[in-house]
Amino acid sequence: MKKGHFILLIILFLISVTSAFYFFDIIDFPDLKLLPYYAGSSLLRMGFAYFFALCFALSYGYFAATNTNARKIMMPVLDILQSVPILGFFPAAVLFFIGLIPGRTGVEFAAVFLIFTSMAWNMAFGVYESLTAIPKELVEAADSFGLHGWQRLESLTLPACVPKLVYNSIVSWSVGWFFLVASEIISAGSDTYKLPGIGSFLIDTTYSGKIALMLVGLSVLVIIILLLELFIWKPMQSWADKYNYEYAGEKKPGEFIFNMRIIKYVFRSIFELFSKIMVSLYIIFHKHKLVKKSLKFLGYLILISALLYIAYIFIVSVSKMFLNLPDDAYSIPLAIAYSFLRLSVAYVICILWTIPAAVYIARNKKASSYLMPVMEVAASIPAIALFPAMVVIFIRYGSLDIAAIILILLGMQWYLLFNLIAGVKSIPKDVENVAASFGIKRKLYWKKVLLPSMFPSFVTGSITAWGGGWNTLIVAEYIVFKGQEYHLFGIGYLLDKATFQTPDSSMVMLSVLGMAVTIIFLNRLIWQPMYRKALAKYKFD
Amino acid sequence: MLAEIKNISKTFESDGNKIQVLDNINFTVEDNDFICIVGPSGCGKSTLLRIIVGLEKPTSGEVLFKGEVIAPDNPKVAMVFQNFALFPWLTVKENIELVLESKKYGEEAEKVACKYIRAVGLDGFERVYPRELSGGMKQRVGFARELAVEPVLLCMDEPFSSLDALTSQNLKDELLMLWAEVSMPPDAVIMVTHNVEEAVYMANRIIILSPRPGKIVADLKIELERPRNRKDPEFYRWVDKVYSLIV
Amino acid sequence: MIFPKATISEIIGLLEVVNDSGGIEDAARLAADFDLELDEILPSIDGAELLGFVSVTDGNIELTEDARNLLETGIRDRKKIIRDKVAGVGIIKELTSMLMESDERKISKKETLKFLQDKIATADIESYFRIIINWTRHAGLIGYNSDSEEICLISK
Ligand SMILES: Nc1ncnc2c1ncn2[C@@H]1O[C@H](COP(=O)(O)OP(=O)(O)OP(=O)(O)O)[C@@H](O)[C@H]1O
Ligand SMILES: [Mg+2]
């Protein structure tokens, strides 16, 4: 049985269960009938956010890759944006959008904005990396064929972005679902705004203790995610492989059961349309000198005024904050330490189970054909959607600390697992043969062969896992269930408290700042050196 | 008699299709044999070699090494790989020591490693990582590593095909020099190649396989003096002869 | 000055091939024999000439006495001959004496690259660095530690 068929089977099962609830009034709940509408609204929100993220990524990445001066500022900024826990900025963004456009439209904008911020950065990195990695010969070939302007964009620049953009889009969507759930119930200041959607449905049903309904909602969410996976991302991947000059010939096109021309055709047309738009914009901007010059001038003007404005806000608010520190501010370092401890515990558990599991799955074809789809389905469920269920279980039977660690684990482990599996699979066959023919086994094999070859994927997996962990943390330390509030002391709690419970904008700022500094510190001190080492020493040629 | 390849056949099964790759291969390996296996691409040369060293199981037939069935980690049979298959996180010396460690050489490991590093002319490179080496140097590490376990039978799958012409010329000569040294392992070599000149230059026996499924077309003894000269008319007669048997 | 971009293995390979043709061979014929472009084989010829293993006149490559000696000996003794030859190459002589004078007999890669850049004006100095290290390692003269990014004298 192919993997695709197995996923299809799971989808059919979930659909039948869900429709049973939907059509035969097993449970009486008015909102149940609105589920399709909720699902549609959520999907639309995701779609809008993705569209904006795509536009942002292409223009930001293109600009940073082609303009060496701008790159020096743009890439570090992107790096920081990527490592800052986005959820923390959310209240401020909501207030901004509601101030701009009052009413539901403003809230919708805020939600889309939040999802956008979770999608855009890694895609922009992807565009930047693929543009800078275009082999020199290709660029020279394009030069020698006299490919300029739109021809160049169409034949070189955009195709070069496709593989990474598709890969990063998949990552972005899975992160996006997490933020969708978080964004549909928004508290800003003393007001709470609720948007109709699958996320708010999940939260509503849980908070009012209707677990069966929550499971129905969850299954709808999973169905959507899996359908997207099968009918959009898989075809996209096999289509994107065509553009992969690095692996040309070596890599088989992605496994895909629905080899439907139509889907491929649709995506090609969308892509082509998109490139046409980009190209015409490019022509307008670059052909006419006057337009180009004035645009450049305008761009610098906007950039400089924005920078000045940000600096002004920053100085004013920082001086205000430090002149008048809230009492809670002093507990921020300790809170970060607590949260860090929780993350570390989850991370250690993660390592302990994912390494052997990855080796087993990667080595065992039979097992992986059944386990991989199941794992992918499990991984597709945003951890945040499971938290309410978690809480219910642990309020009755255990401690909230364990629940939080399990939730963080859920937010971390898949990144590590899938990266490690890919790592084990990428060990060259000859290297395995050497080990086999010299009888390098057991302890020596793990120590000298297996673990070192997994190291690069372990580092990449860990970096993303910790990113996911910090985001999960924010929802893991504070929860309202049946009108009652539960919390664990930690930076996530401080942030939530300052956002929802006793609104305090300077505490929000300080918490986010503290967290961001910690994360950037960890990245610079641990992950980046490790990553460099992994690339230099542990990669097979 | 060193090894006996008896009635080897191999059929691969993928997606329900059966592909027969090898068809009833029989030959024996004697002491001092330098056998080259040649044949068209895809005829099963690599598969045959992998069966001989025990990395792959034949569908039928067996390989006997000194009268016993072969195990993949038998130290008496070693394999050199086309793409070197070195561990990037280990230095030249550590790469060689690794295979000795698994054979329980203990403290001897370092001495043995050094001996073979010197034998292939790699001294000075002990603490270098593979990524810093040129292709020729990498394959020298490959040779040193396989020789270090002191195999009786050395198998090589196109060991020169990823090197440039001049480097591979140099390595072929060095390999023949090591081969000529009586004190050096191995006692016999089986080398897969698709380069007929290379086979005539190195081998004293050439086994020619037919297109898939591979059958033995001919088993030739090459009676040419060593060192051989590729400009020698006699050499060319042998090359022509092998070509005529392949086509 | 330009330094030939050929490894020691390639150079010895070239000597072996010329030897097969009786010790003298036309460069163009040689290239055709190996299905190589002339400029693919030129670095090896230049390298062999720089080391004093061949003399080149009118496109004819002729082995020197030293080359014949080299080809007649085993792997161990080849190493000694190469050591003497490589030690005599100008740029390597200078590097060796720089190392002798330096503290702890080590020089950073950065400094070495700068030194080479002055000698061989090129955009691609890294690959020349690699070739020179290939020669000096073969000769057992100068090594390179990629962890500390330093070159050092190989002690006997
Ligand atoms: N594990 C496998 N599963 C299925 N088919 C295989 C497998 N390994 C090899 N084959 C097939 O067996 C045939 C012979 O392969 P093999 O690698 O032995 O050929 P070869 O003679 O070494 O070819 P080349 O000259 O290209 O190296 C090929 O058609 C190959 O596709
Ligand atoms: Mg093969």
Side-chain angles (χ1 to χ4, degrees):
Chain A
M1 183 155 45
K2 277 190 183 170
K3 198 169 99 186
H5 294 137
F6 201 70
I7 294 186
L8 205 62
L9 221 63
I10 297 175
I11 295 178
L12 286 178
F13 171 74
L14 287 175
I15 288 182
S16 53
V17 173
T18 315
S19 44
F21 272 91
Y22 186 74
F23 290 113
F24 310 101
D25 300 304
I26 299 177
I27 303 175
D28 182 41
F29 189 69
D31 275 6
L32 192 58
K33 292 288 167 209
L34 288 172
L35 256 181
Y37 163 63
Y38 286 162
S41 325
S42 291
L43 202 56
L44 219 57
R45 247 162 245 144
M46 290 286 283
F48 272 118
Y50 177 69
F51 176 76
F52 290 128
L54 195 62
C55 293
F56 170 84
L58 280 170
S59 30
Y60 198 94
Y62 180 80
F63 200 62
T66 48
N67 191 324
T68 21
N69 281 331
R71 176 187 311 178
K72 282 181 200 130
I73 312 170
M74 287 173 88
M75 291 327 282
V77 166
L78 201 58
D79 198 28
I80 289 174
L81 281 174
Q82 198 181 27
S83 42
V84 163
I86 304 148
L87 272 181
F89 285 126
F90 197 39
V94 174
L95 289 178
F96 172 77
F97 278 106
I98 293 172
L100 213 63
I101 316 155
R104 179 168 158 200
T105 327
V107 187
E108 286 284 6
F109 267 103
V112 170
F113 177 74
L114 176 72
I115 303 167
F116 163 85
T117 55
S118 71
M119 286 176 159
W121 321 135
N122 67 323
M123 284 165 63
F125 263 115
V127 172
Y128 170 78
E129 279 167 12
S130 16
L131 287 183
T132 44
I134 297 178
K136 225 173 156 189
E137 306 95 75
L138 267 185
V139 178
E140 279 161 7
D143 285 341
S144 70
F145 292 135
L147 291 181
H148 290 299
W150 74 272
Q151 263 185 328
R152 192 192 185 86
L153 263 184
E154 195 175 69
S155 61
L156 183 71
T157 318
L158 285 173
C161 297
V162 167
K164 276 215 163 127
L165 206 52
V166 168
Y167 170 77
N168 278 300
S169 298
I170 295 172
V171 174
S172 285
W173 271 73
S174 74
V175 180
W177 286 113
F178 180 98
F179 285 91
L180 176 91
V181 177
S183 74
E184 284 179 350
I185 288 194
I186 292 171
S187 301
S190 50
D191 302 313
T192 302
Y193 307 89
K194 199 178 100 185
L195 291 171
I198 196 79
S200 56
F201 180 84
L202 283 177
I203 297 176
D204 264 357
T205 46
T206 320
Y207 286 0
S208 51
K210 297 197 170 63
I211 299 305
L213 276 170
M214 192 218 79
L215 288 178
V216 174
L218 198 58
S219 119
V220 170
L221 181 60
V222 172
I223 290 170
I224 296 174
I225 292 173
L226 292 183
L227 284 177
L228 286 176
E229 161 92 12
L230 267 190
F231 288 95
I232 295 192
W233 299 123
K234 281 275 143 75
M236 283 284 261
Q237 252 174 329
S238 67
W239 169 74
D241 277 343
K242 212 182 65 180
Y243 288 96
N244 213 331
Y245 44 73
E246 275 175 55
Y247 304 108
E250 269 175 48
K251 214 168 109 188
K252 284 190 213 142
E255 186 192 359
F256 176 54
I257 52 162
F258 303 102
N259 210 345
M260 279 189 240
R261 291 251 168 78
I262 299 176
I263 295 179
K264 281 188 187 171
Y265 180 76
V266 167
F267 281 109
R268 186 165 320 144
S269 333
I270 292 177
F271 175 75
E272 271 161 14
L273 182 77
F274 201 80
S275 39
K276 289 255 159 68
I277 297 172
M278 292 286 292
V279 163
S280 5
L281 286 178
Y282 179 87
I283 291 174
I284 295 169
F285 290 162
H286 281 251
K287 257 219 173 117
H288 307 285
K289 275 227 167 88
L290 198 68
V291 181
K292 196 173 159 185
K293 263 194 188 149
S294 50
L295 263 173
K296 211 171 181 179
F297 179 72
L298 203 71
Y300 278 122
L301 203 70
I302 293 174
L303 193 71
I304 290 171
S305 42
L307 282 178
L308 283 177
Y309 183 68
I310 290 171
Y312 167 74
I313 299 267
F314 186 77
I315 291 168
V316 168
S317 49
V318 165
S319 52
K320 228 195 236 165
M321 241 157 22
F322 283 103
L323 283 178
N324 189 4
L325 271 185
D327 293 341
D328 273 349
Y330 299 102
S331 56
I332 285 179
L334 194 65
I336 289 178
Y338 267 74
S339 297
F340 181 73
L341 212 64
R342 254 168 231 133
L343 281 164
S344 307
V345 172
Y347 180 60
V348 170
I349 299 172
C350 240
I351 293 176
L352 288 181
W353 88 262
T354 51
I355 290 182
V359 173
Y360 177 75
I361 292 172
R363 285 291 155 74
N364 200 318
K365 268 197 182 148
K366 267 248 169 66
S368 86
S369 70
Y370 291 97
L371 282 176
M372 278 305 274
V374 173
M375 297 253 184
E376 277 179 21
V377 172
S380 72
I381 304 172
I384 194 175
L386 289 178
F387 191 52
M390 225 70 194
V391 173
V392 177
I393 298 166
F394 280 99
I395 282 171
R396 293 215 183 119
Y397 306 110
S399 85
L400 196 58
D401 237 322
I402 297 175
I405 287 174
I406 290 182
L407 185 67
I408 295 167
L409 191 68
L410 286 173
M412 278 183 152
Q413 61 190 0
W414 305 116
Y415 297 111
L416 204 58
L417 182 72
F418 291 129
N419 266 297
L420 287 176
I421 290 175
V424 176
K425 281 194 172 159
S426 69
I427 301 176
K429 204 158 176 229
D430 274 355
V431 167
E432 292 287 350
N433 283 335
V434 170
S437 72
F438 287 107
I440 301 169
K441 278 185 207 144
R442 283 180 280 275
K443 224 175 119 188
L444 192 64
Y445 176 70
W446 277 80
K447 195 173 128 199
K448 289 282 169 73
V449 182
L450 204 51
L451 291 179
S453 36
M454 288 164 83
F455 187 64
S457 54
F458 173 76
V459 175
T460 351
S462 295
I463 293 172
T464 22
W466 274 80
W470 283 106
N471 272 323
T472 322
L473 190 78
I474 295 173
V475 293
E477 290 178 341
Y478 175 86
I479 188 93
V480 181
F481 180 69
K482 283 192 183 171
Q484 199 176 343
E485 174 241 297
Y486 303 87
H487 71 257
L488 289 168
F489 180 67
I491 190 71
Y493 165 63
L494 287 188
L495 192 59
D496 288 330
K497 187 176 151 199
T499 314
F500 303 119
Q501 214 177 26
T502 48
D504 180 347
S505 60
S506 59
M507 255 316 276
V508 172
M509 281 259 221
L510 282 172
S511 311
V512 174
L513 204 68
M515 223 161 144
V517 167
T518 314
I519 292 171
I520 290 168
F521 194 67
L522 286 175
N523 279 349
R524 287 281 138 89
L525 226 64
I526 299 176
W527 297 122
Q528 280 178 9
M530 252 166 114
Y531 186 69
R532 270 197 296 274
K533 185 160 182 190
L535 279 191
K537 196 167 168 184
Y538 290 90
K539 262 256 188 304
F540 291 102
D541 301 325
Chain B
M1 186 170 55
L2 248 176
E4 224 182 330
I5 286 82
K6 283 170 77 179
N7 308 322
I8 294 290
S9 294
K10 177 77 186 178
T11 304
F12 282 114
E13 221 170 304
S14 63
D15 294 334
N17 300 328
K18 285 192 174 174
I19 311 169
Q20 188 174 14
V21 177
L22 292 172
D23 184 12
N24 200 24
I25 305 281
N26 279 294
F27 65 95
T28 58
V29 184
E30 311 287 342
D31 255 5
N32 291 321
D33 264 349
F34 196 123
I35 301 176
C36 278
I37 300 178
V38 296
S41 181
C43 72
K45 303 182 294 286
S46 301
T47 309
L48 178 58
L49 205 65
R50 291 166 52 77
I51 289 174
I52 293 173
V53 298
L55 284 170
E56 192 108 48
K57 283 226 166 9
T59 313
S60 66
E62 57 184 356
V63 176
L64 297 180
F65 183 75
K66 291 193 169 164
E68 284 178 41
V69 175
I70 192 106
D73 58 349
N74 185 339
K76 297 294 164 209
V77 182
M79 173 107 161
V80 173
F81 296 91
Q82 178 181 357
N83 292 314
F84 324 129
L86 302 175
F87 297 93
W89 49 86
L90 300 178
T91 62
V92 167
K93 197 162 143 227
E94 287 166 345
N95 259 291
I96 297 166
E97 280 172 351
L98 173 65
V99 302
L100 297 173
E101 256 175 78
S102 68
K103 296 285 183 275
K104 308 205 174 54
Y105 272 72
E107 306 205 332
E108 283 284 285
E110 187 170 354
K111 255 196 209 153
V112 177
C114 285
K115 176 179 162 194
Y116 286 96
I117 284 174
R118 283 173 60 84
V120 299
L122 269 172
D123 28 347
F125 289 81
E126 289 89 345
R127 274 188 294 252
V128 177
Y129 289 101
R131 86 188 102 88
E132 298 174 55
L133 296 176
S134 61
M137 280 298 164
K138 279 186 193 155
Q139 196 54 296
R140 278 198 182 85
V141 183
F143 288 147
R145 181 172 69 181
E146 319 310 305
L147 290 176
V149 292
E150 310 194 324
V152 177
L153 174 63
L154 182 67
C155 294
M156 302 190 276
D157 190 357
E158 306 198 13
F160 307 114
S161 64
S162 46
L163 303 174
D164 65 87
L166 293 177
T167 305
S168 83
Q169 177 61 38
N170 176 220
L171 250 68
K172 279 175 214 168
D173 272 11
E174 287 190 8
L175 188 70
L176 288 175
M177 275 153 92
L178 289 170
W179 169 246
E181 261 180 67
V182 185
S183 63
M184 277 280 161
D187 294 345
V189 172
I190 303 179
M191 181 175 120
V192 163
T193 174
H194 55 232
N195 183 334
V196 173
E197 272 194 35
E198 183 177 301
V200 176
Y201 190 72
M202 315 242 352
N204 42 24
R205 232 177 111 190
I206 295 184
I207 292 179
I208 300 165
L209 295 186
S210 67
R212 209 177 69 202
K215 276 193 286 269
I216 295 187
V217 176
D219 188 340
L220 292 176
K221 274 222 151 28
I222 308 292
E223 279 138 7
L224 267 173
E225 291 282 307
R226 288 181 198 272
R228 292 174 185 169
N229 185 336
R230 289 172 308 105
K231 295 278 164 172
D232 189 1
E234 187 68 7
F235 184 89
Y236 258 94
R237 234 163 285 141
W238 279 102
V239 172
D240 282 344
K241 186 166 180 190
V242 175
Y243 265 120
S244 68
L245 285 166
I246 291 180
V247 182
Chain C
M1 184 214 154
I2 188 113
F3 197 86
K5 253 199 231 176
T7 64
I8 295 286
S9 306
E10 284 173 290
I11 292 170
I12 300 177
L14 176 87
L15 302 184
E16 279 157 354
V17 173
V18 175
N19 193 40
D20 269 1
S21 314
I24 183 159
E25 177 65 293
D26 181 52
R29 273 272 302 279
L30 205 73
D33 260 9
F34 279 94
D35 210 10
L36 290 173
E37 295 295 322
L38 199 56
D39 52 346
E40 284 176 291
I41 211 164
L42 275 181
S44 313
I45 299 174
D46 290 343
E49 197 178 17
L50 182 63
L51 290 175
F53 287 135
V54 298
S55 57
V56 184
T57 38
D58 297 336
N60 271 326
I61 309 160
E62 189 172 2
L63 295 187
T64 61
E65 198 51 41
D66 289 331
R68 288 174 204 279
N69 287 339
L70 179 93
L71 292 176
E72 266 160 32
T73 60
I75 296 172
R76 300 293 331 140
D77 294 325
R78 285 183 178 188
K79 208 136 176 146
K80 279 186 206 115
I81 299 176
I82 288 168
R83 183 190 169 94
D84 293 342
K85 290 292 184 185
V86 170
V89 174
I91 203 165
I92 291 167
K93 246 196 251 167
E94 284 181 58
L95 262 182
T96 316
S97 53
M98 266 169 70
L99 275 165
M100 296 279 228
E101 287 158 19
S102 64
D103 311 337
E104 297 176 57
R105 315 207 145 178
K106 280 180 191 147
I107 301 177
S108 72
K109 177 182 177 182
K110 226 168 132 190
E111 213 174 312
T112 315
L113 287 182
K114 226 169 77 194
F115 166 76
L116 292 179
Q117 184 73 59
D118 288 342
K119 297 270 161 191
I120 316 163
T122 170
D124 185 24
I125 201 69
E126 276 273 353
S127 66
Y128 285 97
F129 176 77
R130 249 176 286 141
I131 283 292
I132 289 174
I133 293 299
N134 171 283
W135 285 32
T136 58
R137 268 181 182 152
H138 248 286
L141 289 170
I142 301 170
Y144 170 62
N145 181 336
S146 61
D147 284 332
S148 61
E149 304 212 324
E150 283 168 337
I151 63 167
C152 59
L153 284 178
I154 296 175
S155 49
K156 263 279 133 177

